[in-house]
Amino acid sequence: MIIVWILIGLVVLAAIVGVVTYNGLIGLRNRVEEGWRQIDVELKRRHDLIPNLVETVKGYASHERGTLEDVMQARSAAMSGAPTPAAAAQAEGQLSQALGRLLAVAEAYPDLKANQSFLALQQELTSTEDRIASSRRYYNALVRELNTKVESVPSNVVANMAGVKRAEYFEAPATEAVVPNVSFGDNAVGGSGTPGVAPSTQPGAIGGPSTQPGAAPGALPQAQAPGTVQPDPTRDSGTPNA
């Protein structure tokens, strides 16, 4: 009789552990989905800012048609609806690269850099990128927690029975560029007077720490104002022209 009660107790204990584990897995999966929705909201905000930014740049640099078209094409691809977070990250990375080239081009136009609408849009874009990075860190932390439980014993048994599967990370590509910090003059890269892109503090951005394992930092293409003549490297930049 004692053995029977022991068996009954073990069954009840296993059932309780199973229910608690199941509820924990479902709750964590829902938090992962909520985290992804937060990223999606910020990505849509970013997509909405880009047309106004492109139109503002076009007013001062309409002949930079190739760069402007690249940005809009990358935006369309990013908005097309990627089936997975990994695919979405790839599309957003391409958009970030195109935005980096656009902003590098804008640095060659002093009138554009002084335009209040452009400055406001650039500031809003920077703020949006910061929120995307924050949402990405939160989402990836939840994904890591869920995947650990899905793969660990005994919660993996409950996960298989409940159909709870691993979630995908939203990784920032190593070549992602978030609103570059471009400078002119003596501090420019290479000292040649062409725009230089300083390292970004944004996770996964150019020159900054990448969230993608094994990735190496890339570099943004540099833009030059139309008609600008490259300085002669044999001349002293501090010597006035004769």
Side-chain angles (χ1 to χ4, degrees):
M1 187 66 180
I2 296 178
I3 296 177
V4 173
W5 282 109
I6 291 175
L7 292 175
I8 293 175
L10 291 175
V11 170
V12 172
L13 180 61
I16 293 174
V17 170
V19 170
V20 171
T21 303
Y22 172 82
N23 290 339
L25 286 169
I26 297 301
L28 189 53
R29 184 180 65 182
N30 291 341
R31 289 169 61 196
V32 168
E33 293 174 353
E34 179 185 356
W36 177 250
R37 285 193 292 269
Q38 291 180 6
I39 293 178
D40 191 48
V41 168
E42 299 302 336
L43 292 178
K44 289 179 179 177
R45 189 196 309 273
R46 181 198 204 195
H47 299 158
D48 291 342
L49 288 171
I50 291 174
N52 291 333
L53 186 67
V54 168
E55 287 300 319
T56 303
V57 174
K58 186 186 298 184
Y60 292 84
S62 58
H63 54 281
E64 300 284 356
R65 179 174 300 177
T67 303
L68 298 173
E69 289 180 352
D70 287 346
V71 173
M72 295 307 296
Q73 289 175 2
R75 174 182 180 267
S76 297
M79 293 181 62
S80 62
T84 64
Q90 183 66 28
E92 293 297 332
Q94 295 296 325
L95 178 56
S96 292
Q97 292 181 55
L99 277 174
R101 292 191 292 271
L102 175 66
L103 295 174
V105 164
E107 288 292 330
Y109 298 88
D111 291 341
L112 174 59
K113 290 170 60 179
N115 181 278
Q116 293 301 315
S117 296
F118 176 76
L119 293 176
L121 287 168
Q122 193 174 23
Q123 183 177 4
E124 181 63 24
L125 184 60
T126 301
S127 176
T128 300
E129 296 290 355
D130 289 341
R131 289 195 294 269
I132 291 173
S134 178
S135 298
R136 180 175 65 239
R137 288 192 295 268
Y138 173 73
Y139 169 80
N140 285 341
L142 293 175
V143 169
R144 181 172 59 251
E145 184 179 353
L146 175 63
N147 291 349
T148 298
K149 289 185 177 297
V150 168
E151 296 174 351
S152 300
V153 178
S155 56
N156 62 335
V157 176
V158 179
N160 289 333
M161 295 175 61
V164 178
K165 302 183 182 299
R166 285 174 49 88
E168 274 193 346
Y169 289 98
F170 183 69
E171 297 285 3
T175 54
E176 179 181 355
V178 182
V179 188
N181 179 19
V182 185
S183 60
F184 285 87
D186 295 338
N187 295 328
V189 175
S192 62
T194 54
V197 180
S200 171
T201 58
Q202 190 77 20
I206 292 299
S210 172
T211 58
Q212 187 150 356
L220 280 174
Q222 301 298 316
Q224 182 182 352
T228 300
V229 179
Q230 289 287 353
D232 186 350
T234 63
R235 291 177 59 87
D236 185 356
S237 59
T239 304
N241 294 332

